[in-house]
Amino acid sequence: MIAVTGATGTVGGLVARLLAGTHPLRLLVRRPQRAGELGLPGEAVAADFDDPASLTGALTGVHALFMVTANPLQPAHDPNLLSAARRSGVGHIVKLSALAVADEQADDLITRWQRHNEALLRASGVPWTILRPRSFMSNSLAWAPSIRTRGVVQAPVGTSRNACIAPQDIAEVAVRALTGAAGEGMTYPLTGPQALSAAEQSAVLAEVLDRPVRFVDMTLDQAYQAWSARYPEPIAQALLYSARRQQEGAKQLTDPTLEKLLDRPALTYRDWARRHRHHFT
């Protein structure tokens, strides 16, 4: 039995679909009906990161757990999930973290939270594997409305590069780890095959869509105002810090680990854009 948290999100949903039909699958979700609405495979059970009892029950009989938490303003979520995993006898945890954890100069709220959670997992006594991806290529789906209506992409630090990765590649590595084909006690840095700027991504989208896509660079002040309107202040500050790190070149290095794990090249941004062209048209 393999359990997946974050199944209604980007990577968790892909992991669930890749596991479909190969292993008994349990999805830990707040609202099981949501999993049904998304057409996700497996048994959806109600589980709340704020309710340790619900987690223990949901993890009973589970051998391997794909662990995704998403809210740095709720620091109890990882400890609650790890405690439940220990009580339920989970044999292996594969955690989705972030590559910024390896950057000694990165000290924003989100990175500190992930760094702390990794330490909790290592000290938990449960065998573990940690995945540290760079930013998701799918983040550019946020541009879809403005591309559809105006043919415009607007983003901050638009000429600085990020070695972003296709979520499909992360999910395939996760499945290998969950099924024993990638090593326990390993931490895997995961990047795409090349570092691209938002302006360069816009040019790729224009080619794939066969229509003009104009890139408009935002200042960090403009980006911060947009983030502040959407997120709590500590998150907006963390995003601003992260953008500055990218501007300084901290996110442009690529890593060969993924290609070695999957025995194939990592998907390019053009590969990802072709697969998701329908979102932009």
Side-chain angles (χ1 to χ4, degrees):
M1 173 73 74
I2 295 177
V4 176
T5 63
T8 57
T10 302
V11 177
L14 289 168
V15 168
R17 295 184 192 281
L18 288 171
L19 287 168
T22 64
H23 292 75
L25 181 62
R26 186 175 296 163
L27 312 180
L28 278 60
V29 290
R30 283 181 179 269
R31 296 190 301 114
Q33 64 269 30
R34 178 60 177 158
E37 292 166 0
L38 294 172
L40 293 171
E43 174 197 12
V45 299
D48 188 330
F49 291 159
D50 291 316
D51 180 1
S54 75
L55 297 173
T56 301
L59 290 173
T60 299
V62 166
H63 170 69
L65 167 66
F66 185 53
M67 182 175 179
V68 182
T69 53
N71 190 347
L73 300 181
Q74 297 290 337
H77 286 180
D78 277 74
N80 286 348
L81 192 51
L82 288 172
S83 295
R86 284 196 302 268
R87 288 193 298 269
S88 303
V90 172
H92 183 203
I93 294 175
V94 178
K95 177 170 176 56
L96 185 65
S97 183
L99 192 49
V101 170
D103 180 357
E104 294 181 357
Q105 302 304 312
D107 193 37
D108 60 276
L109 169 71
I110 297 172
T111 303
R112 291 197 306 271
W113 168 71
Q114 288 284 27
R115 199 172 277 142
H116 176 66
N117 291 338
E118 285 192 12
L120 291 176
L121 176 57
R122 291 191 180 94
S124 69
V126 181
W128 52 267
T129 304
I130 294 172
L131 310 184
R132 289 178 175 171
R134 189 52 85 194
S135 299
F136 298 175
M137 292 178 182
S138 57
N139 290 351
S140 16
L141 290 174
W143 304 335
S146 64
I147 288 177
R148 287 195 301 264
T149 58
R150 298 183 291 122
V152 170
V153 167
Q154 192 170 13
V157 292
T159 58
S160 61
R161 292 186 169 92
N162 189 309
C164 57
I165 181 171
Q168 179 75 23
D169 282 347
I170 304 169
E172 290 189 27
V173 173
V175 167
R176 289 184 65 81
L178 289 163
T179 58
E184 292 180 1
M186 298 296 293
T187 299
Y188 294 121
L190 304 174
T191 74
Q194 62 184 145
L196 292 175
S197 67
E200 290 166 333
Q201 288 176 314
S202 301
V204 171
L205 288 170
E207 293 175 17
V208 169
L209 298 172
D210 193 25
R211 60 171 291 193
V213 176
R214 180 169 61 91
F215 178 75
V216 177
D217 205 356
M218 299 172 69
T219 67
L220 284 178
D221 284 342
Q222 289 172 325
Y224 176 68
Q225 292 302 317
W227 291 326
S228 295
R230 182 175 181 184
Y231 301 110
E233 181 62 18
I235 303 297
Q237 288 283 353
L239 294 172
L240 177 63
Y241 186 98
S242 179
R244 286 174 174 156
R245 291 292 298 148
Q246 179 168 320
Q247 196 172 41
E248 293 164 1
K251 302 182 182 183
Q252 63 184 351
L253 294 180
T254 59
D255 189 282
T257 298
L258 186 142
E259 183 170 349
K260 294 175 182 176
L261 287 169
L262 299 183
D263 196 28
R264 65 161 175 81
L267 295 172
T268 67
Y269 186 74
R270 182 171 276 99
D271 294 330
W272 178 88
R274 286 172 177 157
R275 294 184 181 194
H276 296 85
R277 183 180 185 277
H278 59 284
H279 290 291
F280 299 92
T281 58

